[in-house]
Amino acid sequence: MKYFLAFLISFATLAFGQTFPSYYSAADLALASPGALRFGLYGFDNPALLTYVRHSDLEFVWTDASGKWNDFNRWGLFTASPNFGFGLVKTKLGPISITDYRIALAGGDKTLGFGFAYSFTGGDKAAFDRRNSFTLGTLVRPNRYVSVGLVGSTTTSGGRTEGVVDLGVRPLGSEMLTIFADYGIQNHQQLKQGAWSYGAAIEALPGIRVTGRYFNTHAFSVGLSLSLGNAGVSTQSTWDNNSKHAFNTYAIRLGAFDRTVLTKLMKNSRYVEMDLLGGMKYQRFILFDNARTLRSTLDAIAAAKADETVAGIAINTSGMDINREMLWELREQLRQLKAAGKKVVVFIDRPTMVEYQFATIADKIVLDPAGALMLPGFLVGRMYVKGTLDKLGIGFTELRYFKYKSAAESYARDKMSDADREQNQKLVDDLYAQAKAEICEGRKLTAAQFDTLVNQDVMFLPQDALAKGLVDTLGRWEEVKTMIERLEGEKKATTGFGSLAQFNLPYDNQWGERPRIAVIYALGACAMDEGIKARSLVKDVEAVANDTRVKAIVLRVDSPGGDGMASDIVAEALKKAKKNKPVIVSQGYVAASGGYWLSMYADTVVAAPSTITGSIGVIGGWMYNKELKEKLGFSTDLVKAGEHADLGFGFRLPLIGAGIPDRDLTDVERAKAERAIKSFYSEFVAKVAVGRRTTPEKIEPLAQGRIYSGTEGKKVGLVDELGGLADAIRIARTKAGIRPDDDVTIVELPRPGFIDFSRFMPKLFGVEQAIATDPVIEHLKLRLEHNGQPMPVMPLEEIDFEAATE
């Protein structure tokens, strides 16, 4: 008992000359200095450490002053959640008992954190001259190797102050070895009178930590901590200045997940369930939006691949409505998971051909006994509205000067031009070839067998699909666990992605702010204030280009084009950004025409095999009134000064809010439009040549508005790599010089909206809301707003509206 009291009082006295709850007064409850091991005492020692807390956690610590492990004369309770901590330390010395409380808050990031704490005391504080106090803490971790903590405390009365510096060094840049030292001094002491300690913490195996610490009083301690995942235990023995054992410290932790060697014992013990019901977006609103996003789903599969406890993934595709490009990206991520030795089970009920193509990555496919499977092939079709416009009394003049630029055909023709038929046939042939290769690989079919299934069989009832080897068994989603047991030969637990280690491990494994990669989304039509919202998007590009924390930029393009100026200002911003950091473009469902304009200056262009890319060309069209105005009972009149002042003047369509000019172009105006379109085209080709590091003469044969699949785009040199968003981020990491084992922070821009207010619109406004958000109407408005202007834009049917607008 006397050794414990001497040790405790010595640290308290060294800190303030009296028994005061100072920095070192809790040293007997900690295994190391605060910045060296996990989160210290959860803000009780340095409140700035709370910036590293990821999930809520609680730890109970006590000492055996009397030599008995269940002696609770000295104990502490510490709890924390991100940026908030609360702790109390109770000490009983004979008849005297006091409790020190501390509430802490923190802010900042992993490189520079700040914290504030307020301390007060309960119990017999008069016996110890206890004073309430304020504490300010700072945590500086400029890189993975160095940690510096600064703590300053002052009492609310009496003028007592204390300053502490806490230094940690990780020679290996990881939690495996940390060397630490700290020093504290109070306001009436000289430097040599300050208290100090130094030591080391070793984590050779995940969650098993050994510590040693030597104090300036010649006391020293040795500790051992063992993580059990969401719980942990630790113990520490302390010897006094005569090298006699003084006391032991014990701790129990509950709450947040921690690294643990027990993971090895749970290897391949469970399956992760993934329900793909509904669509998939790129970003979701902050509130009231549970939609699945592409990056979060890719990250979840990657996390399952890296988690040793995961044996495989079971996927429910019932009700899935995800476009073919995104499904391919998910399929490729699952392919990598299988390459790591894990299994995939997919449940289907009424899949489309693209959905079945996705499912064939599975080791086992389960088809609903009341479902069906169809393999009809692929097509590209188009609806032509020329006859409709004629009946309505709307005229349309196609301003087309390049062979494959077919964006206006829907308005000007009643069937495909030969050039459009040629490029569309090549596109569906590429899609068919890709599906054939992947389905044949997944289901062990020959090319001839596949063609027979598509061209002769087409539709398969459950028993037919089973007999032909297209699925492995029949059953409902609820029976998938039984299917897993058959596949694995033993029962496996099932869990959600939220329980995976990657989403729960503490942040203490890597000091300092993680390198950042900005993922910027350019979605929808290329327009200044709608679609990609170029006016604000260019500011996002400039912001990350000037942010030294951002090491690379990934631009995700899902756009059919539109306004050339909108495309150009964003492209020029990316070109400028490329001088300072890598710029990678990931092309989604469609990144053609103005969408390719956005892509052309990238260091690397990444596209999926099914991406629609290219369409390097410009087209124009002039929509005007023939007799619709008169049919609707409108009339217009005007006065003008200037021969062409009435160009574009007309009436506005109700509800749509777009104007239709009263007249067609004159021959002079048509000649001017032709000159503008051809000039714009030459500029487009020249810029692509600069971006692709070649000459306009080599780009010209690839241009003329021709579309390509991602596969063909790579062959002709418009695409550098076949891959998805995850591949683009991987390439960005490599080009930025980020080590493969370094964690990175992904910054997504534009910032997502706070809430989707359209969900709460009254039904009374349902018609107007539907018109305002209908993609066909939006496309029509875009054309009318740029009536007669050169436009790098795709045909209406080539736009995947769900992917491009969400």
Side-chain angles (χ1 to χ4, degrees), residues 196-229:
W196 52 263
S197 74
Y198 64 83
I202 300 172
E203 188 176 344
L205 294 172
I208 299 179
R209 304 171 178 105
V210 178
T211 61
R213 190 177 187 184
Y214 182 82
F215 298 91
N216 66 303
T217 59
H218 304 298
F220 63 93
S221 62
V222 176
L224 173 65
S225 175
L226 175 62
S227 168
L228 305 175

Side-chain angles (χ1 to χ4, degrees), residues 491-506:
K491 288 186 178 181
K492 298 287 185 182
T494 56
T495 185
F497 283 101
S499 66
L500 298 182
Q502 181 173 314
F503 305 123
N504 293 280
L505 284 172

Side-chain angles (χ1 to χ4, degrees), residues 518-531:
V519 174
I520 303 176
Y521 297 105
L523 311 176
C526 293
M528 294 300 293
D529 301 300
E530 296 175 340

Side-chain angles (χ1 to χ4, degrees), residues 433-484:
Q434 180 194 348
K436 178 191 284 191
E438 293 180 352
I439 292 173
C440 287
E441 178 189 25
R443 301 309 300 173
K444 306 295 188 295
L445 301 173
T446 66
Q449 287 174 322
F450 177 83
D451 290 336
T452 299
L453 293 171
V454 173
N455 297 323
Q456 296 182 21
D457 296 329
V458 187
M459 183 174 179
F460 307 88
L461 295 175
Q463 291 295 340
D464 298 331
L466 184 62
K468 291 185 179 293
L470 297 177
V471 301
D472 297 289
T473 188
L474 305 180
R476 293 275 155 84
W477 170 248
E478 293 76 14
E479 302 167 25
V480 165
K481 288 184 180 180
T482 303
M483 312 300 174
I484 293 172

Side-chain angles (χ1 to χ4, degrees), residues 402-404 422-423 614-617 681 685-686 688-689 694-708 712 716-718:
F402 307 105
K403 180 178 179 180
Y404 296 101
E422 175 192 343
Q423 64 179 348
S615 191
I616 302 168
Y681 172 77
V685 170
V688 171
T694 185
T695 63
E697 291 74 22
K698 291 185 178 180
I699 294 297
E700 177 61 33
L702 309 177
Q704 291 287 318
R706 179 155 192 162
I707 61 171
Y708 301 91
E712 191 67 17
V716 302
L718 296 180

Side-chain angles (χ1 to χ4, degrees), residues 177-203:
L177 173 62
T178 304
I179 301 170
F180 62 86
D182 52 9
Y183 173 84
I185 189 170
Q186 37 93 359
N187 56 341
H188 63 269
Q189 287 182 318
Q190 297 181 0
L191 286 175
K192 64 181 181 180
Q193 295 177 311
W196 52 263
S197 74
Y198 64 83
I202 300 172
E203 188 176 344

Side-chain angles (χ1 to χ4, degrees), residues 302-313:
K305 172 192 170 186
D307 196 310
E308 292 183 282
T309 68
V310 173
I313 294 181

